[in-house]
Amino acid sequence: MDIKKKDIRALSKEELQAFFERIGERSFRGTQVYEWLWNKSAHSFEEMTNLSKEIRAHLDTHFVINHIKVDKQQRSNDGTIKNAIKLHDNLIVESVLIPTDTRTTACVSSQVGCSLNCEFCATARLKRMRNLNPDEIYDQVVAIDKQSRLYYNRPLSNIVFMGMGEPLMNYKNVIASIEKITSDEGLGMSAKRITVSTSGIPKMIKMLADEEVRFGLAVSLHSAIQETREKIMPFAKQFPLPDLRESLEYWYHKTRRRVTYEYIVWKGINDTPEAIAALVKFCKYVPCKVNLIEYNSIDDPRFQQAAPEMVDAYIDALENHQIPVTVRRSRGKDIDAACGQLANKS
Ligand code: SAH
């Protein structure tokens, strides 16, 4: 008889405890297994050495541990590492380790492919196949933490949900993964070191605000003019800027955390005084900072990085209005690991 085994990491600690009670064992066995699964990131039941052989065999007949596998690793000459991650159903996502002098940041994926259609993003060319489960997101973080210790002699310090997919279209699982990442039963990382990036889905931003989450929020704005934004991010027709603005005001009201706007300056698209003025105005609504991202080419002639003087014009205008602005240099470009380049090329 072929019984379909269940994914054991879909169970909560309480459900695991209940499972053990049902088979006539003490419930603390469930706590032990839970620790093995999350805190110790066990890949097999065999590793769970504080359980009897019988219990381990019993678990093995009922459950699977759907661990991710690092299928391929590419290292950039700037130290960035791109991982092709194979999931249990053979689908692939990518996760990136980004080192600086003092920090290691993990850039993780939340979906296989993406359902949004940003014209300038390579991931948008992949069909959205499915959402990642909480454990699949968690495992990416664990894998990058290991790499950071191995290659850089330090633990992972930050996590950004800026890989493949739209995190807020996989809301429940993203939140569940962050709960595990921040809990002492998982990795015990501070939520302050986590940033979730969204293309801007007002309803979901409000939901985050209602849950009073402790992590940071980044919004891929790219234009504060509705007509322009719709052209480059067609889904934005459904989520117009006034709605986005309102949701961000709500976010700030609830969390008191400033928002980060991600913004690329393209030649002939938003390299104009009007676009700059619109951004400055938008930035007045909610305390924020602006992260100007260098455009990474995805071989589409419509999109080209604007001239440096135009980026400087943005910086000057924002600084004149006391709006903090940083410029994000591309990392890992040579291996297609930079923002917007994750497309399972390998
Ligand atoms: N879907 C979420 C998470 C992805 S984050 C979001 O849109 O925020 C990836 C970041 O890289 C986003 O800010 C996105 O707008 C940006 N990006 C996409 N394509 C890019 C490209 N070709 N060059 C530079 N940044 C890009």
Side-chain angles (χ1 to χ4, degrees):
M1 191 179 63
D2 191 22
I3 27 170
K4 188 149 167 31
K5 296 187 190 183
K6 267 185 147 167
D7 171 12
I8 192 162
R9 284 189 297 175
L11 269 56
S12 67
K13 190 161 75 180
E14 292 68 32
E15 286 167 336
L16 276 174
Q17 290 168 339
F19 169 81
F20 278 101
E21 279 173 10
R22 271 201 310 280
I23 63 169
E25 291 283 340
R26 311 254 303 276
S27 69
F28 80 94
R29 295 286 175 210
T31 316
Q32 286 177 315
V33 170
Y34 193 82
E35 241 169 53
W36 278 110
L37 292 174
W38 295 102
N39 193 278
K40 298 183 194 141
S41 245
H43 282 52
S44 70
F45 296 112
E46 216 157 298
E47 288 166 55
M48 305 183 177
T49 44
N50 55 0
L51 304 175
S52 70
K53 275 213 165 84
E54 292 70 36
I55 292 185
R56 283 183 265 164
H58 191 76
L59 287 172
D60 206 31
T61 54
H62 285 79
F63 297 108
V64 282
I65 305 175
N66 283 333
H67 233 284
I68 64 162
K69 282 191 200 74
V70 177
D71 200 39
K72 192 173 168 197
Q73 233 188 70
Q74 284 172 280
R75 290 190 80 173
S76 157
N77 49 31
D78 68 18
T80 300
I81 301 173
K82 181 167 86 169
N83 297 289
I85 301 283
K86 192 181 255 179
L87 308 172
H88 68 91
D89 50 3
N90 288 328
L91 292 171
I92 305 270
V93 291
E94 293 176 333
S95 327
V96 185
L97 177 158
I98 308 155
T100 64
D101 290 346
T102 52
R103 302 202 292 200
T104 303
T105 300
C107 175
V108 299
S109 294
S110 55
Q111 298 181 312
V112 187
C114 189
S115 45
L116 299 179
N117 47 9
C118 303
E119 303 272 357
F120 48 84
C121 180
T123 307
R125 294 175 180 173
L126 305 173
K127 202 171 110 218
R128 190 203 74 105
M129 305 293 285
R130 69 170 172 87
N131 286 336
L132 294 190
N133 292 325
D135 50 278
E136 292 170 324
I137 299 171
Y138 184 88
D139 286 353
Q140 295 176 60
V141 175
V142 172
I144 292 186
D145 181 46
K146 260 195 206 141
Q147 292 174 351
S148 182
R149 289 169 199 270
L150 180 65
Y151 299 118
Y152 294 96
N153 281 315
R154 61 184 187 217
L156 179 67
S157 53
N158 298 75
I159 303 170
V160 294
F161 281 75
M162 296 187 187
M164 294 175 159
E166 167 51 47
L168 300 193
M169 300 278 246
N170 183 15
Y171 186 91
K172 208 173 80 275
N173 292 350
V174 165
I175 296 291
S177 75
I178 294 175
E179 265 161 20
K180 290 284 194 310
I181 291 165
T182 54
S183 113
D184 285 336
E185 284 166 332
L187 297 175
M189 277 183 77
S190 160
K192 291 198 188 100
R193 295 177 172 277
I194 302 175
T195 302
V196 171
S197 178
T198 175
S199 52
I201 301 166
K203 196 174 81 191
M204 295 304 179
I205 293 172
K206 282 187 170 167
M207 215 187 272
L208 284 180
D210 278 332
E211 294 196 39
E212 295 182 27
V213 296
R214 310 277 299 279
F215 50 80
L217 179 68
V219 175
S220 302
L221 190 62
H222 302 312
S223 175
I225 298 172
Q226 179 64 22
E227 197 193 336
T228 309
R229 197 162 187 266
E230 275 177 19
K231 262 189 212 143
I232 56 178
M233 305 166 86
F235 70 88
K237 282 191 195 85
Q238 294 153 256
F239 309 116
L241 284 168
D243 293 1
L244 181 60
R245 167 191 170 177
E246 196 216 312
S247 71
L248 294 171
E249 285 168 342
Y250 189 72
W251 159 270
Y252 186 76
H253 169 74
K254 285 277 192 172
T255 66
R256 296 283 144 192
R257 296 201 60 152
R258 73 165 76 213
V259 180
T260 300
Y261 296 127
E262 296 160 279
Y263 200 103
I264 304 172
V265 190
W266 288 284
K267 201 178 281 178
I269 293 177
N270 56 2
D271 58 346
T272 61
E274 296 74 48
I276 296 176
L279 176 62
V280 168
K281 187 169 171 216
F282 197 84
C283 285
K284 299 272 163 112
Y285 300 141
V286 189
C288 66
K289 61 179 183 223
V290 174
N291 199 345
L292 294 174
I293 309 179
E294 199 183 315
Y295 174 59
N296 302 306
S297 171
I298 59 160
D299 301 323
D300 182 330
R302 291 174 299 166
F303 294 99
Q304 278 165 44
Q305 171 71 38
E309 305 81 69
M310 283 317 297
V311 177
D312 288 342
Y314 266 95
I315 296 172
D316 290 346
L318 291 164
E319 283 180 345
N320 280 339
H321 287 84
Q322 281 82 46
I323 299 156
V325 51
T326 51
V327 179
R328 190 201 290 163
R329 221 165 37 85
S330 283
R331 305 290 307 271
K333 242 189 196 175
D334 53 332
I335 52 167
D336 285 324
C339 289
Q341 293 189 313
L342 302 183
N344 293 343
K345 256 197 205 167
S346 57

